[in-house]
Amino acid sequence: MGSLKDVKYDAFISYRHSEFDSFVVENLHKKLESFKLPKSVLHKVKNGKTRINRVFRDVDELPLADNLSEPINDALRNSDYLITVCTPRYPESRWCMKEIEVFLQTHTRDHILVVLAEDEPVNSFPEILTLEEVETVDEKGEKVIIRKELEPLAADTRGENRKEVLKAMDTAVIKLAAAMFGLNYDDLRQRQREQKMRRMAMAFGSIGAAVLGFAIFATATLIKISKQNEMINEQYAQLQDSFAGTMANVSKQLLQEGRRKDAVYAVRSVLPESGEESFNNSAFNALVTAMDIYKVTHEHSPVCDYTTGGWVNGFKVSCDGNYIITVDDNSVFVYNVSDGNLITKIDKRKTLGGGGMFEAAFCGEEGILVCDNGEATYYSLTDLSSKIVDIDSESYLYGSDDGFVTYAFFSDILYAVDNYGDVMYTMDMEEILGDDSIWLYDVSFSDGDVLFGFDKEVCLIDEYSGEVKYTGTIPENYGMGCVMDGGILYLACTGMTEDDEPYLDAYAIDPDSGRELWKQRVNDYSMDITGVAVAGCFIMVCTTNDALIFDGDSGELLKEHSFSDMICSCWTEDNCFYLITEAGKVFYCDYDCVSEMKGFFNIAPTGNISDVLYRGGDFFCRYWLSNYVIRYSDMISPLAKREDDYEPGEEFSDIADLSIFKDEEYNVNEETVQFAFYSVDKKYIVVQTIDNVIKIIDDETKVCVNSFMSPEEELFDLRYNDLTECYILSGDKSYLLDDKFNIVCTTGYISGRDGNDLIMLDDEGKFLRIPWFSYEELIQKADEYLDDYVPSDEIKEKYGLQ
């Protein structure tokens, strides 16, 4: 459902969704579908049609990214004519212009009919209808492109008021119909008049004939109205289904952008309360996906977003993982990490006029330090009290991993603030380092020590006392990354040689002795360092597009991995290196190879990622120029419970002999079949082709009852599950198919059932028990999840949400 690929239309009406334009289109639509040709001209119609049966009109704006929705594209391709209802508002709609562009990809211009509904053509007709670029030969005999003026076939419905518009529309409909049937307008107009005169003469022939005629007319009218109502109801249902299919696509896009709650809202708004009513399978499938009830793998999915008023300039997560703060130009927002609920909002002081520095960081686990170029303030999250902190209010802030100390740095002065908002110590870094040009590039925390990487020096201090444990001078650099591991200081910096050649220097330093253990220079690298990480005895340094692996003992460069996308961040887990690019691709790297982690995300981020934070299964992500931060989690469904005693009892399908497809009745090319098997009852054969098209064939009639694309590389079986009352087609994931083999929803791999529970396999091969929810129960779950949530006006307008 939701696809219009096989539905043919006589015409597609393109119009701007405003009150007057919609009034014109609604009446034009009714008049076109009720228009009937006089019998006297039927012999002139070449295609044998007697009436305009089906006209497509989208009843809602569908602003989906930069593309029209697939149902709209299908309807445009499958329409014989495009009718554009032109007013001064029409050329301003980029969606209407896209509809014309898509139509012209498969049709000629003479199949575009124009209705002038308001103002003059010069103001209402878009250039795409009045100008065309054509190739010609100039006076020199050279080919040139010129813009040729066109005069589109136009019908006029203009009037001083709506009554006059409706009157003019009758003539306009005849003009449109004449073009659609390939007839002469004057001939069709004359036939209509003659037919009307004959009806009037017959009606006044005698009183008895009039009475009889009235009775016949009344009966015919009732029948016509009944049929029209059926047609209207059918078309309304089709439009509703089309819109629901569009919302399924919207939900998918919102989920890819990390807006899970908006994704649930989009499809819940187009699904009925009861499964007894007709509903769109694509929308229901999108709801199941967005709710994550049947997620049994540890792939990362978006679970929460934290939205600010303007573009997010930065975000921080408390060391215990309970809170997140996001900062835009005017406010600091504090949220619960788990549910995304806003705890408090701290506005920049009005005296600053919205300009200047604005920084925030956690002070301990339940306090926040804010610098807004006017004052530095500590805010308590327990009672929301505040107090002024005696540090420079233009400072940059860095919170330690254990939450005990927050560092503020500005103009060579380093402040250490404890988790109560009190200044512990202050350090003049110019005096300590002996340099009047100090720029702080990176800060790294390790076991009570904190390492500062400046533009010419590094400095290691004791986090709690401020004791300087090591300082070292390095060449002036353009980028710096540093990390402490096992008591060894590792750092990387970039610079330029005297010949303006870029280089990268990697170091290992023993801070206790001050001895440089090794130094390695690599030439011709980007100025930006995006991360330094340690895993076992290896060091990884990431620049803009490269990851360099060094031997931690000798400094030998072991491997250089290059990437087409910019590297955002890197981290280590279980002594392995990982990195993520701005395109949302996660890679595993070691000294020998690099491989993309295909299963890291269940629903991967989209767009240009600005910065990320990975913390114990939670993955926080911010896009460039966006107003929200997303949290991705690798947690499985909270409803899943381990099941150690389950033994699969459902009957599995039999593999089909591929030689059966030599029978041409199956209409399947044997050479393209990758896998085939029977349903348990032997009534159906599931065929998977090498291009991952799934075909389900009735083995008795040899007819393909359904087909769809599947990303699964290999499917295992098809069986019927009486708990879900669906066929289950399984690979690594399971498709639930109704009795017409439409996809109802997609879940993790379903092994079987036990009572009212589904038994599913996780990605470690262990059985999990998850309750099966009926349609009504899932709708209730969605309503409980949404509660009274309503998307922002910006999201509603952008995605056309109800």
Side-chain angles (χ1 to χ4, degrees):
M1 302 293 289
S3 173
L4 301 179
K5 290 183 178 179
D6 300 321
V7 181
K8 302 298 182 183
Y9 295 93
D10 294 307
F12 182 111
I13 301 180
S14 174
Y15 68 104
R16 184 66 184 266
H17 293 261
S18 66
E19 182 181 357
F20 177 76
D21 302 48
S22 296
F23 161 79
V24 172
V25 170
E26 183 179 352
N27 286 280
L28 181 65
H29 189 188
K30 292 177 182 178
K31 289 179 180 291
L32 282 172
E33 289 198 335
S34 60
F35 182 88
K36 193 172 182 180
L37 283 174
K39 291 182 180 180
S40 56
V41 299
L42 291 180
H43 67 282
K44 294 184 179 182
V45 181
K46 295 180 181 181
N47 57 16
K49 296 178 66 171
T50 61
R51 63 181 302 164
I52 301 170
N53 291 313
R54 194 186 292 269
V55 176
F56 185 93
R57 169 174 65 96
D58 61 317
V59 295
D60 293 279
E61 286 278 14
L62 303 173
L64 201 72
D66 289 328
N67 301 307
L68 296 174
S69 67
E70 194 55 37
I72 296 298
N73 282 327
D74 290 339
L76 284 164
R77 286 189 286 264
N78 294 338
S79 297
D80 289 338
Y81 286 85
L82 176 66
I83 300 173
T84 63
V85 177
C86 296
T87 65
R89 295 168 293 282
Y90 184 79
E92 299 172 353
S93 170
R94 61 172 176 153
W95 307 111
C96 294
M97 299 306 100
K98 282 183 177 289
E99 287 172 348
I100 297 175
E101 293 171 1
V102 170
F103 185 82
L104 285 174
Q105 292 172 6
T106 54
H107 300 76
T108 56
R109 286 182 174 271
D110 59 351
H111 277 245
I112 298 181
L113 308 178
V114 180
V115 174
L116 180 59
E118 191 180 35
D119 210 321
E120 297 300 323
V122 67
N123 298 323
S124 299
F125 289 359
E127 284 191 359
I128 193 172
L129 296 180
T130 60
L131 294 173
E132 181 183 21
E133 292 186 349
V134 296
E135 185 178 88
T136 186
V137 178
D138 63 11
E139 297 175 350
K140 299 178 181 180
E142 296 177 350
K143 293 182 178 180
V144 294
I145 302 296
I146 63 171
R147 302 187 78 183
K148 177 184 176 183
E149 290 189 2
L150 304 174
E151 292 186 9
L153 176 63
D156 194 346
T157 65
R158 291 175 295 176
E160 291 296 325
N161 51 53
R162 295 194 175 191
K163 185 176 180 180
E164 289 186 8
V165 169
L166 292 176
K167 185 177 179 181
M169 196 177 293
D170 291 332
T171 302
V173 167
I174 294 175
K175 193 169 186 179
L176 294 172
M180 294 170 68
F181 287 110
L183 298 173
N184 182 278
Y185 167 76
D186 292 330
D187 184 57
L188 183 57
R189 179 65 172 169
Q190 183 62 27
R191 298 290 183 179
Q192 287 283 89
R193 289 175 178 172
E194 292 174 0
Q195 189 180 63
K196 183 177 180 181
M197 292 297 293
R198 285 196 298 270
R199 286 198 300 265
M200 290 178 63
M202 291 175 62
F204 290 101
S206 66
I207 296 178
V211 173
L212 178 60
F214 178 77
I216 295 173
F217 171 76
T219 303
T221 300
L222 289 174
I223 294 173
K224 183 177 180 180
I225 291 173
S226 177
K227 288 183 177 180
Q228 285 181 338
N229 285 338
E230 289 179 8
M231 186 179 298
I232 290 171
N233 290 336
E234 178 185 349
Q235 189 171 49
Y236 178 70
Q238 186 181 58
L239 288 173
Q240 280 189 312
D241 186 72
S242 174
F243 182 67
T246 299
M247 285 299 103
N249 292 331
V250 168
S251 177
K252 180 180 178 181
Q253 181 173 342
L254 285 165
L255 206 56
Q256 288 176 331
E257 294 180 3
R259 295 186 179 275
R260 182 187 174 205
K261 190 160 281 191
D262 290 327
V264 173
Y265 182 95
V267 283
R268 175 61 189 95
S269 65
V270 294
L271 288 169
E273 297 287 338
S274 171
E276 297 296 324
E277 302 177 52
S278 176
F279 63 88
N280 182 281
N281 279 337
S282 297
F284 183 71
N285 190 18
L287 180 64
V288 173
T289 301
M291 289 292 292
D292 253 358
I293 286 178
Y294 300 108
K295 181 174 180 283
V296 293
T297 65
H298 288 86
E299 298 168 319
H300 287 73
S301 296
V303 292
C304 210
D305 65 84
Y306 315 95
T307 303
T308 65
W311 289 342
V312 179
N313 297 326
F315 71 92
K316 307 280 177 63
V317 179
S318 62
C319 57
D320 59 6
N322 291 332
Y323 304 106
I324 180 173
I325 54 177
T326 61
V327 183
D328 65 12
D329 286 338
N330 299 302
S331 304
V332 175
F333 300 79
V334 187
Y335 304 89
N336 272 321
V337 164
S338 59
D339 56 20
N341 287 335
L342 180 66
I343 297 173
T344 187
K345 175 185 173 186
I346 303 168
D347 292 326
K348 181 182 287 190
R349 301 185 187 279
K350 296 180 180 179
T351 56
L352 299 176
M357 183 72 188
F358 202 26
E359 276 271 303
F362 282 101
C363 259
E365 296 179 352
E366 297 190 353
I368 294 176
L369 181 61
V370 176
C371 291
D372 66 3
N373 201 30
E375 290 178 331
T377 310
Y378 171 86
Y379 295 88
S380 169
L381 294 179
T382 56
D383 58 10
L384 300 182
S385 61
S386 64
K387 66 178 182 181
I388 302 301
V389 182
D390 188 18
I391 64 174
D392 196 300
S393 63
E394 297 184 63
S395 297
Y396 291 91
L397 303 178
Y398 307 87
S400 65
D401 294 341
D402 60 11
F404 184 75
V405 180
T406 299
Y407 288 95
F409 181 77
F410 182 74
S411 188
D412 303 344
I413 305 300
L414 182 70
Y415 306 90
V417 182
D418 67 16
N419 54 353
Y420 300 105
D422 298 322
V423 178
M424 300 168 58
Y425 52 85
T426 302
M427 304 173 67
D428 188 331
M429 301 308 297
E430 182 181 346
E431 291 183 0
I432 295 172
L433 300 176
D435 195 325
D436 60 357
S437 174
I438 298 178
W439 184 263
L440 181 57
Y441 276 125
D442 198 12
V443 179
S444 176
F445 298 89
S446 176
D447 298 327
D449 291 333
V450 56
L451 176 64
F452 296 93
F454 297 97
D455 53 350
K456 296 180 183 179
E457 293 88 10
V458 290
C459 180
L460 181 69
I461 69 173
D462 182 281
E463 180 179 353
Y464 307 108
S465 67
E467 175 192 355
V468 177
K469 303 178 75 170
Y470 171 80
T471 61
T473 301
I474 56 176
E476 184 174 2
N477 60 86
Y478 297 93
M480 155 78 77
C482 57
V483 65
M484 284 283 294
D485 185 81
I488 303 299
L489 184 162
Y490 300 96
L491 63 93
C493 60
T494 59
M496 298 286 288
T497 66
E498 292 180 356
D499 297 326
D500 291 333
E501 295 293 333
Y503 66 82
L504 180 147
D505 283 341
Y507 297 81
I509 299 171
D510 179 0
D512 292 336
S513 64
R515 186 168 59 93
E516 183 181 290
L517 302 178
W518 53 260
K519 175 183 176 182
Q520 184 70 257
R521 173 162 291 191
V522 184
N523 292 317
D524 196 22
Y525 271 92
S526 154
M527 294 292 96
D528 292 323
I529 303 266
T530 56
V532 179
V534 181
C537 59
F538 301 102
I539 314 300
M540 181 168 73
V541 177
C542 292
T543 64
T544 305
N545 295 100
D546 299 280
L548 288 72
I549 310 294
F550 297 90
D551 185 297
D553 295 327
S554 66
E556 178 187 359
L557 177 62
L558 301 175
K559 196 72 177 180
E560 301 174 59
H561 301 298
S562 296
F563 301 86
S564 58
D565 300 319
M566 188 178 78
I567 299 171
C568 281
S569 182
C570 63
W571 69 92
T572 60
E573 188 173 33
D574 297 330
N575 272 338
C576 296
F577 291 117
Y578 298 89
L579 61 86
I580 184 169
T581 69
E582 64 176 353
K585 297 179 180 179
V586 176
F587 293 87
Y588 162 82
C589 300
D590 65 17
Y591 64 90
D592 183 46
C593 66
V594 61
S595 59
E596 184 176 353
M597 303 290 292
K598 294 293 186 181
F600 188 86
F601 285 109
N602 180 31
I603 300 169
T606 60
N608 293 327
I609 296 176
S610 169
D611 53 300
V612 297
L613 171 66
Y614 182 74
R615 178 173 290 174
D618 276 349
F619 193 89
F620 298 86
C621 169
R622 174 173 75 97
Y623 295 135
W624 285 108
L625 304 181
S626 68
N627 67 339
Y628 63 102
V629 175
I630 315 161
R631 177 169 66 94
Y632 291 81
S633 174
D634 66 350
M635 296 295 291
I636 63 173
S637 168
L639 301 173
K641 296 181 180 179
R642 282 284 302 273
E643 177 56 66
D644 297 324
D645 300 327
Y646 175 76
E647 295 183 5
E650 288 195 351
E651 188 176 355
F652 288 84
S653 51
D654 294 332
I655 297 176
D657 185 352
L658 301 188
S659 64
I660 64 174
F661 299 114
K662 292 180 180 178
D663 185 345
E664 295 182 358
E665 286 189 71
Y666 282 103
N667 196 26
V668 174
N669 185 346
E670 179 187 4
E671 296 180 357
T672 67
V673 177
Q674 178 175 328
F675 199 76
F677 44 83
Y678 289 101
S679 63
V680 173
D681 57 12
K682 304 291 185 182
K683 291 182 179 180
Y684 301 97
I685 302 177
V686 174
V687 178
Q688 182 179 20
T689 61
I690 56 177
D691 55 358
N692 284 349
V693 173
I694 307 300
K695 295 182 178 181
I696 300 168
I697 300 172
D698 186 314
D699 195 34
E700 181 178 351
T701 64
K702 307 298 188 291
V703 173
C704 179
V705 297
N706 196 13
S707 65
F708 54 88
M709 292 292 296
S710 168
E712 300 295 315
E713 294 183 0
E714 183 178 348
L715 294 169
F716 305 141
D717 56 76
L718 174 71
R719 49 208 155 87
Y720 186 79
N721 182 284
D722 54 2
L723 174 61
T724 62
E725 296 182 343
C726 290
Y727 289 96
I728 297 181
L729 177 62
S730 296
D732 290 335
K733 297 182 179 180
S734 289
Y735 298 95
L736 275 68
L737 310 172
D738 62 18
D739 56 357
K740 295 181 181 178
F741 287 92
N742 296 308
I743 298 176
V744 176
C745 67
T746 309
T747 70
Y749 179 79
I750 298 174
S751 178
R753 66 163 292 187
D754 184 22
N756 290 323
D757 295 335
L758 291 176
I759 306 300
M760 306 178 72
L761 276 177
D762 66 9
D763 46 6
E764 298 175 350
K766 297 176 182 177
F767 288 116
L768 299 172
R769 179 186 294 271
I770 298 182
W772 167 252
F773 292 95
S774 66
Y775 177 93
E776 289 78 12
E777 290 170 334
L778 186 67
I779 291 295
Q780 183 180 352
K781 280 281 183 185
D783 290 343
E784 292 172 356
Y785 171 67
L786 292 172
D787 194 16
D788 57 354
Y789 174 78
V790 177
S792 66
D793 291 340
E794 177 189 358
I795 294 295
K796 281 186 174 182
E797 181 178 353
K798 180 178 179 180
Y799 296 98
L801 303 185
Q802 294 180 339

